[in-house]
């Protein structure tokens, strides 16, 4: 319905932002009048329905069959509308009536309506997309003898909707090592494999392995274990694009809504609503027990969770010209993607690679191995695991006074939101369980044939032989791990707002609507300490609430968030109306980006000084007594920052074992004066 509004557009394709795991309700992204899609404000029965971390989405999408009305304001809002720069939306859930009413529906989509795969997809199997969406609604009156008598008193309504989708997806033309390469035999690849333990430290002077074969005794035990988990090739006689993976993904979302309305007398009305939506999303890994990327490009393994939304409200008519109304609401968003925890601490317990997985069960699963020219092995997703347990609270009270030609309305709102996140993210390489990269440089010769390329005259121009040989030997050319410093990262936001407006019926043809809104967004805080801010003037990081530093970290938020609103409507004729309006709205950004600021994560990322060289861990003894890092050496333990000192001087020297605030800190100014939106419109209808 939002896309029917003038000036509303969505993202190309489906219009859905983020992955199914990150946006399990599949909310549509809407840009209104050129304003950021993060500046919309959506409510259900007046209660906030925001997604605090990803504001382009909303937390809960009710069933269309449960919706009674949708009110949308997109420009020059009434002063009552706030916390928005794009669209202010309120969705009302249906209520019961004096009569019993209901509906039942079933929608089906399946692959019988789909076109076949293109001729270049092997082996030409037809992808399946089977979706069933079904549910019902039911509502009516409640009559309790001796307690509630007659009609127009107590009503109930409920709805249920389920979406079940199964997709048989394919990831064709992946590249895996041949059966011979898996044993260390590279004689048929045409690529010369060199022994990295020979020659000079810069990669020159290396000696090829005898007969282009790696002795069994030289193969890393961890690499051998992983190799044994790889699936057999679907085209065993070629070196590239030799494996096709097929598997089924599933998406299951249920939505339940309950609402009750009670009219104790002709002056008051009470209502309450509760909605819950459990979700389960399964995206298997393309290499089975060996991991790999997820089918359909989603988060690997299981994702989903549960959304809960509750609200209660009251309307009371104190006199024929004085009305009070208000509501309180609560939204609980508990979603996540856990990857493959059934594998346990695969890196440390099965592969026996120190420093992988841990600390704690959230880091369980198979780690990542990125071998150049080979499909990803293990779990290389940098977005999972994650767990979001976000809470939102809404409280509003309004009063309306009708005085002659004036309809005066005023109100107060207080909202509070909290992020409680586990999501170790530090870049495009490192993962929470550990990641090792193999680019082939350690088994190639500096100054010789290019990495993974065959000498001139070879029947095979290229093959991922060097990189796979390097993997078998267990010598990574890059290693990394991302560890979250505190669990959860817990941010707290609040918003205060007041407004007053007058709708003045000047004449039967002319109406003025004018008012003023004030919004205040205090500096955020954490659950057990305050805000954290880097001051570019002093070059210090201030941790609020620690060692005498104030909670706001010597920062203040502007209290000048005043937004005047003005509207006018004039009826020229019985068929023509002219409307115009102007308004200022405060930018509603909730400072969520401070989630990733100091001291959120320690990002360990180890690279060699130059190509063709080994990586090394300074001060960490290696298994063979050398400075060369192997899988047997694992990843060093991270060093966590001490925030209890309150004032921290960032290091000027990068170190992959510690947090480096000077290059990773997200900050905000000492005086945070928010931006604002000005909007106007002129309409002839």
């Amino acid at each position: 319905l939002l896309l029917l509004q003038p000036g509303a557009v969505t993202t190309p394709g489906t219009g859905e932002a983020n992955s199914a795991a990150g946006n399990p309700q599949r909310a549509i992204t809407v840009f209104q009048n050129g304003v950021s899609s993060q500046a919309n404000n959506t409510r259900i029965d007046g209660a906030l329905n925001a997604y605090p971390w990803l504001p382009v989405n909303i937390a809960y999408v009710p069933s269309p069959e449960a919706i009674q009305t949708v009110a949308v304001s997109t420009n020059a809002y009434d002063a009552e509308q706030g916390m928005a720069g794009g669209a202010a939306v309120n969705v009302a859930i249906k209520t019961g009536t004096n009569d019993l009413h209901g509906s039942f529906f079933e929608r089906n989509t399946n692959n019988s309506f789909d076109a076949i795969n293109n001729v270049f997809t092997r082996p030409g199997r037809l992808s399946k997309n089977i979706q069933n969406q079904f549910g019902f609604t039911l509502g009516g009156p409640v009559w309790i003898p001796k307690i509630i008598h007659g009609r127009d008193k107590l009503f109930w309504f409920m709805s249920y909707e389920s979406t079940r989708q199964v997709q048989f997806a394919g990831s064709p033309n992946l590249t895996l090592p041949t059966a011979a390469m898996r044993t260390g035999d590279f004689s048929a690849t045409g690529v010369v494999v060199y022994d990295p333990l020979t020659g000079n430290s810069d990669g020159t002077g290396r000696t090829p392995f005898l007969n282009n074969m790696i002795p069994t005794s030289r193969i890393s035990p961890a690499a051998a274990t992983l190799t044994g988990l790889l699936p057999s090739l679907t085209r065993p006689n070629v070196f590239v694009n030799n494996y096709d993976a097929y598997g089924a993904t599933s998406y299951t979302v249920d939505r339940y809504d309950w609402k009750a309305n009670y009219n104790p007398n002709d002056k008051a009305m009470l209502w309450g609503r509760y909605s819950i939506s459990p979700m389960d999303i399964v995206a298997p890994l393309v290499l089975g027990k060996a991991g790999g990327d997820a089918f359909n490009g989603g988060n690997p393994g299981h994702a989903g969770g549960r959304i809960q939304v509750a609200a209660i409200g009251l309307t009371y008519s104190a006199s024929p010209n004085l009305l009070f109304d208000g509501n309180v609401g609560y939204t609980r968003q508990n979603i996540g993607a856990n990857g493959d925890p059934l594998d346990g601490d695969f890196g440390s317990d099965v592969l026996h690679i120190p420093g992988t997985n841990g600390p704690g069960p959230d880091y369980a699963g198979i780690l990542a191995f990125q071998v150049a020219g080979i499909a990803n092995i293990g779990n290389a997703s940098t977005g999972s695991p994650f767990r979001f347990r976000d809470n939102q609270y809404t409280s509003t009270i309004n009063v309306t006074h009708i005085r002659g030609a004036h309809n005066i309305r005023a109100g107060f709102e207080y909202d509070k939101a909290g992020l409680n996140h586990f999501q170790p993210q530090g870049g495009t390489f490192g993962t929470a369980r550990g990641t090792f990269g193999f680019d082939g440089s350690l088994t190639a010769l500096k100054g010789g044939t290019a990495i993974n390329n065959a000498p001139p005259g070879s029947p095979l121009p290229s093959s991922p032989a060097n990189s796979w040989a390097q993997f078998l030997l267990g010598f990574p050319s890059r290693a990394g791990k991302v560890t979250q410093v505190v669990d959860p990262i817990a941010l707290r936001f609040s918003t205060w707002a007041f407004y007053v407006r007058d709708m003045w019926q000047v004449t039967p043809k002319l109406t003025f609507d004018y008012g003023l809104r004030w919004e205040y967004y205090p500096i955020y805080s954490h659950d057990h300490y305050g805000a954290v801010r880097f001051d570019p003037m002093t070059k210090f990081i201030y941790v609020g609430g620690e060692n005498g530093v104030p909670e706001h970290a010597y920062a203040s938020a502007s209290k000048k968030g005043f937004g005047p609103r003005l509207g006018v409507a004039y009826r020229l004729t019985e068929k023509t109306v002219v409307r115009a309006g102007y308004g200022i709205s405060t930018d509603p950004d909730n400072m969520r980006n401070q989630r990733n600021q100091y001291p959120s994560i320690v990002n360990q990322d180890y690279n060699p000084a130059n190509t063709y060289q080994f990586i090394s861990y300074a001060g960490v003894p290696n298994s063979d007594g050398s400075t060369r890092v192997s899988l047997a050496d694992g990843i060093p333990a991270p060093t966590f920052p001490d925030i209890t000192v309150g004032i921290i001087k960032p290091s000027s020297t990068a170190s992959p074992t510690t947090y480096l605030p000077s290059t990773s800190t997200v900050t905000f100014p000492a005086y945070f004066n928010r931006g604002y939106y000005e909007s106007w419109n002129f309409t002839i209808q």
Side-chain angles (χ1 to χ4, degrees):
L1 292 174
L2 291 178
L3 299 180
L4 298 178
Q5 300 296 316
V9 297
T10 187
T11 52
T14 64
E16 299 167 353
N18 307 105
S19 65
N23 178 16
Q25 293 281 304
R26 307 316 292 147
I28 294 178
T29 302
V30 178
F31 299 84
Q32 186 67 52
N33 296 330
V35 176
S36 167
S37 59
Q38 302 184 36
N40 299 324
N41 185 349
T42 302
R43 301 169 185 260
I44 300 181
D45 290 324
L48 282 177
N49 187 31
Y51 191 147
W53 174 238
L54 300 173
V56 297
N57 308 316
I58 60 176
Y60 177 65
V61 178
S63 169
E65 295 290 332
I67 295 176
Q68 181 165 305
T69 60
V70 179
V72 184
S73 299
T74 62
N75 202 305
Y77 319 111
D78 182 287
E80 184 177 355
Q81 306 292 337
M83 290 88 165
V89 182
N90 185 54
V91 176
I93 299 299
K94 290 178 179 178
T95 62
T97 64
N98 282 320
D99 300 307
L100 189 65
H101 290 282
S103 65
F104 173 79
F105 59 92
E106 159 74 18
R107 306 180 183 96
N108 173 263
T109 299
N110 62 65
N111 57 300
S112 297
F113 299 102
D114 291 344
I116 62 171
N117 286 338
N118 68 72
V119 297
F120 299 103
T121 302
R122 295 175 294 193
R125 301 175 66 174
L126 179 65
S127 295
K128 292 183 179 180
N129 179 16
I130 303 173
Q131 176 174 301
N132 283 285
Q133 190 175 62
F134 55 91
F136 68 90
T137 66
L138 194 62
V142 176
W143 181 51
I144 304 176
K146 299 182 180 181
I147 299 177
I148 298 174
H149 300 279
R151 299 162 63 85
D152 306 321
K153 288 293 185 180
L154 181 60
F155 310 98
W156 61 276
F157 173 82
M158 67 172 298
S159 74
Y160 168 71
E161 177 183 284
S162 180
T163 301
R164 312 288 175 94
Q165 182 180 33
V166 176
Q167 292 178 299
F168 187 80
S171 294
N173 302 324
L174 300 176
T175 297
L176 291 178
T178 64
M181 292 170 62
R182 299 181 190 192
T183 66
D185 184 355
F186 297 89
S187 58
T189 63
V191 177
V192 179
V193 175
Y194 293 85
D195 187 346
L197 301 185
T198 62
N200 304 310
S201 60
D202 63 355
T204 60
R206 288 174 177 164
T207 303
F209 280 103
L210 182 64
N211 297 324
N212 222 25
M213 298 176 63
I214 297 177
T216 303
S217 60
R218 292 284 302 276
I219 295 178
S220 162
T225 299
L226 278 170
T227 301
L229 299 177
L230 291 175
S232 301
L233 300 180
T234 57
R235 286 183 297 283
N237 297 322
V238 294
F239 288 90
V240 296
N241 299 334
N242 52 16
Y243 179 68
D244 300 315
Y246 293 92
T249 64
S250 65
Y251 172 83
T252 303
V253 174
D254 294 319
R255 296 179 172 93
Y256 302 84
D257 295 286
W258 292 273
K259 190 173 185 179
N261 292 71
Y262 178 48
N263 304 319
N265 52 53
D266 58 0
K267 289 187 175 183
M269 188 271 286
L270 294 165
W271 60 267
R273 179 183 55 81
Y274 175 70
S275 302
I276 185 171
S277 179
M279 303 158 289
D280 185 51
I281 304 167
V282 181
L285 307 183
V286 297
L287 301 183
K289 293 182 179 181
D293 298 326
F295 284 105
N296 283 343
N299 284 82
H302 271 264
R306 182 173 60 189
I307 308 294
Q308 299 178 83
V309 185
I312 58 175
L314 166 68
T315 300
Y316 178 71
S317 178
S319 68
N321 61 352
L322 185 62
L323 178 73
F324 295 91
D325 66 90
N327 65 70
V328 294
Y330 172 68
T331 301
R332 168 75 168 177
Q333 190 178 28
N334 188 352
I335 63 174
N338 53 20
D340 44 11
L342 296 179
D343 289 331
D345 290 340
F346 194 90
S348 57
D349 295 347
V350 178
L351 300 180
H352 305 293
I353 301 177
T356 58
N357 299 113
D362 288 328
Y363 293 85
I366 189 170
L367 54 155
F369 298 87
Q370 298 181 0
V371 183
I374 298 289
N376 282 334
I377 301 173
N379 187 349
S381 172
T382 58
S384 69
F386 77 87
R387 284 187 296 109
F388 297 166
R389 294 161 293 170
D390 301 339
N391 301 307
Q392 299 174 79
Y393 306 88
T394 307
S395 58
T396 64
I397 184 69
N398 304 284
V399 58
T400 303
H401 179 59
I402 299 174
R403 185 179 180 87
H406 296 269
N407 183 322
I408 303 170
R409 186 168 171 83
F412 161 79
E413 179 172 353
Y414 174 72
D415 302 328
K416 188 175 182 63
L419 302 184
N420 300 283
H421 284 193
F422 172 80
Q423 189 176 34
Q425 287 183 302
T428 58
F429 180 74
T431 64
R433 304 169 177 94
T435 306
F436 295 93
F438 304 84
D439 61 8
S441 62
L442 295 181
T443 59
L445 180 67
K446 183 177 182 180
T449 304
I451 300 170
N452 287 332
N453 281 0
S458 174
L460 293 174
S462 64
S463 168
N466 289 131
S467 52
W468 180 253
Q470 183 179 330
F471 168 75
L472 287 181
L473 291 168
F475 291 119
S477 46
R478 190 177 182 183
K481 189 176 188 297
V482 185
T483 308
Q484 191 164 305
V485 175
V486 293
D487 184 15
I489 299 175
L491 270 60
R492 303 292 182 260
F493 317 104
S494 61
T495 306
W496 302 79
F498 294 93
Y499 78 92
V500 60
R501 70 105 171 101
D502 178 21
M503 185 178 294
W504 179 24
Q505 187 77 41
V506 184
T507 71
K509 290 187 175 183
L510 178 64
T511 302
F512 275 109
D513 187 317
Y514 55 95
L516 181 68
R517 185 176 181 87
W518 176 78
E519 294 178 1
Y520 173 54
Y521 299 80
I523 299 297
Y524 82 102
S525 69
H526 291 82
D527 58 343
H528 296 304
Y529 55 98
V532 178
R533 185 176 66 89
F534 171 72
D535 190 333
M537 301 299 294
T538 64
K539 302 295 189 297
F540 287 125
I541 292 175
Y542 298 102
V543 182
E546 298 292 338
N547 199 24
V549 177
E551 288 285 322
H552 49 66
Y554 300 110
S556 62
S558 172
K559 297 181 180 178
K560 300 178 180 179
F562 293 97
R565 313 287 173 83
L566 176 64
V568 60
Y570 183 71
R571 183 179 296 276
L572 286 174
T573 69
E574 290 302 314
K575 296 183 178 181
T576 305
V577 178
V578 177
R579 296 182 177 89
Y582 171 81
I584 292 179
S585 300
T586 304
D587 178 13
D589 181 81
N590 62 4
M591 300 184 76
R592 67 194 174 282
N593 288 327
Q594 302 302 311
R595 187 199 80 162
N596 290 335
Q597 47 106 269
Y598 184 88
S600 58
I601 57 99
V602 171
N603 182 22
Q604 298 170 265
D605 193 349
Y606 303 92
N607 291 275
N610 296 288
T611 307
Y612 296 96
Q613 295 184 3
F614 288 86
I615 59 174
S616 61
Y617 302 147
V620 178
N622 298 310
S623 57
D624 60 359
S626 69
T627 59
R628 296 183 294 261
V629 168
S630 70
L631 292 179
D633 303 309
I635 300 174
T639 302
F640 296 117
D642 179 13
I643 66 172
T644 61
V645 296
I647 301 177
I648 299 170
K649 178 70 173 179
S651 170
S652 60
T653 304
S655 171
T657 60
T658 59
Y659 195 96
L660 183 61
S662 59
T663 60
S664 304
T665 293
V666 180
T667 191
F668 57 95
Y671 178 67
F672 192 9
N673 187 15
R674 288 174 171 271
Y676 60 90
Y677 299 93
E678 290 185 80
S679 60
W680 61 270
N681 65 75
F682 180 82
T683 306
I684 299 178
Q685 181 180 8

